[in-house]
């Protein structure tokens, strides 16, 4: 592009180019919304990992099991959360890959997004009712959501 080209001419060329590429605009908007959603949820996930309230993060049975074995679960919060994340990813990635290979994208992606939306609504209820284990479930779910 020549240096002498005026700014309005450059903007007109850009506008003409973008008119020819609506999929580019849609993909930009999609990616922007996806990353915005993740970066809004990530601080909540990090707060769960750093929480000193073990009962908000882990289910009661897990706390009792660790206590019965002489371990304070609060000392291993991040290790337990990342181990749970690893196990879920190893278990769910082959299932996700199998589903992706069997269904066309135009059907599969809306279903996946509806499932994730339903999960978010479920987490809203879980946090509103202060259900035990909500922190670990949200932490692991968000990491799996980020992978998929």
């Amino acid at each position: 592009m020549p240096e002498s080209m005026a700014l309005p001419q450059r903007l007109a060329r850009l506008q003409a180019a973008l008119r020819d590429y609506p999929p580019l605009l849609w993909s930009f908007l999609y990616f922007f919304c996806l990353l915005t959603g993740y970066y809004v949820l990530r601080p909540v996930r990090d707060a769960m990992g750093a929480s000193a309230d073990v009962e908000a993060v882990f289910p009661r049975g897990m706390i009792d099991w660790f206590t019965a074995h002489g371990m304070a679960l609060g000392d291993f919060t991040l290790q337990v959360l990342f181990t749970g994340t690893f196990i879920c990813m190893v278990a769910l990635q082959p299932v996700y890959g199998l589903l992706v290979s069997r269904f066309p994208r135009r059907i599969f992606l809306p279903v996946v997004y509806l499932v994730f939306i339903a999960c978010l609504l479920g987490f809203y209820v879980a946090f509103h009712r202060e259900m035990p284990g909500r922190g670990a479930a949200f932490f692991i779910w968000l990491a799996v959501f980020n992978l998929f």
Side-chain angles (χ1 to χ4, degrees), residues 71-147:
M71 295 181 276
L73 189 55
D75 296 340
F76 302 102
T77 300
L78 281 177
Q79 291 90 335
V80 171
L81 290 174
F82 280 119
T83 302
T85 299
F86 173 74
I87 290 169
C88 283
M89 285 184 180
V90 166
L92 293 176
Q93 184 57 43
V95 174
Y96 185 78
L98 182 70
L99 291 172
V100 166
S101 68
R102 295 197 188 262
F103 295 101
R105 261 183 267 155
R106 63 184 167 75
I107 294 172
F108 184 72
L109 285 178
V111 170
V112 168
Y113 293 138
L114 287 174
V115 167
F116 280 121
I117 290 168
C119 288
L120 279 173
L121 293 173
F123 281 118
Y124 172 78
V125 171
F127 278 92
H128 191 267
R129 293 186 180 170
E130 297 184 0
M131 297 172 93
R134 65 192 178 272
F138 184 76
F139 189 96
I140 293 169
W141 175 83
L142 189 61
V144 173
F145 164 75
N146 185 32
L147 175 70

Side-chain angles (χ1 to χ4, degrees), residues 36-98:
T36 301
Y38 176 68
Y39 284 114
V40 166
L41 294 173
R42 196 171 116 180
V44 178
R45 181 201 74 167
D46 293 345
M48 289 294 106
S51 177
D53 185 9
V54 177
E55 293 194 8
V57 178
F58 297 107
R60 188 81 209 131
M62 190 173 195
I63 297 169
D64 293 342
W65 187 88
F66 270 82
T67 304
H69 288 84
M71 295 181 276
L73 189 55
D75 296 340
F76 302 102
T77 300
L78 281 177
Q79 291 90 335
V80 171
L81 290 174
F82 280 119
T83 302
T85 299
F86 173 74
I87 290 169
C88 283
M89 285 184 180
V90 166
L92 293 176
Q93 184 57 43
V95 174
Y96 185 78
L98 182 70

Side-chain angles (χ1 to χ4, degrees), residues 3-49:
E3 291 293 325
S4 63
M5 189 181 289
L7 183 61
Q9 290 173 327
R10 288 182 184 176
L11 289 175
R13 284 187 66 188
L14 177 63
Q15 186 179 17
L18 290 178
R19 226 175 317 168
D20 295 337
Y21 298 107
L24 176 66
L25 295 175
W26 280 111
S27 64
F28 173 78
L29 181 65
Y30 165 78
F31 194 64
F32 176 80
C33 290
L34 191 68
L35 286 180
T36 301
Y38 176 68
Y39 284 114
V40 166
L41 294 173
R42 196 171 116 180
V44 178
R45 181 201 74 167
D46 293 345
M48 289 294 106

